[in-house]
Amino acid sequence: MKLYRLNVTADGEPTTIFVLAEDVDSLLHALESQDHGEADEGSLLPYVDGEKKPRVIRSLEEVPEDYLDFVCLGDNPEEYTVAEFFDTQE
């Protein structure tokens, strides 16, 4: 499982969402079929259309402190936060 970061807007303000998925196709499927939090639909379209690529986050050091407690979207039945996801990888 990989952790992807997408830079989006929510209520017109820049923000970030994190999605757990096996690959980009799975990530896109999750965005289309699941609730994607507060993210504005228009800011997700460039990812769906392939104009923007989501970034794979490989370590907790790549995550701003403000986002450590965000619950990951996608394939996340345990509802792991970003920090908890990395705790399970060790």
Side-chain angles (χ1 to χ4, degrees):
M1 193 68 59
K2 297 177 185 172
L3 180 66
Y4 293 91
R5 174 182 174 162
L6 291 79
N7 295 322
V8 297
T9 59
D11 297 325
E13 295 294 321
T15 190
T16 297
I17 57 175
F18 294 90
V19 182
L20 288 176
E22 288 292 333
D23 51 38
V24 174
D25 288 339
S26 299
L27 176 147
L28 295 176
H29 180 71
L31 289 179
E32 291 174 352
S33 64
Q34 288 186 319
D35 176 26
H36 40 68
E38 302 296 319
D40 298 330
E41 191 77 31
S43 68
L44 292 169
L45 288 177
Y47 292 104
V48 173
D49 293 342
E51 296 169 14
K52 289 177 82 173
K53 300 286 184 213
R55 179 177 162 203
V56 177
I57 302 298
R58 301 188 193 286
S59 72
L60 205 52
E61 288 78 35
E62 297 179 58
V63 179
E65 191 172 314
D66 292 350
Y67 292 97
L68 297 181
D69 293 330
F70 271 40
V71 174
C72 303
L73 304 177
D75 188 9
N76 189 14
E78 304 293 329
E79 296 189 0
Y80 287 133
T81 64
V82 173
E84 289 169 340
F85 168 75
F86 281 105
D87 286 344
T88 65
Q89 302 302 301
E90 295 175 352

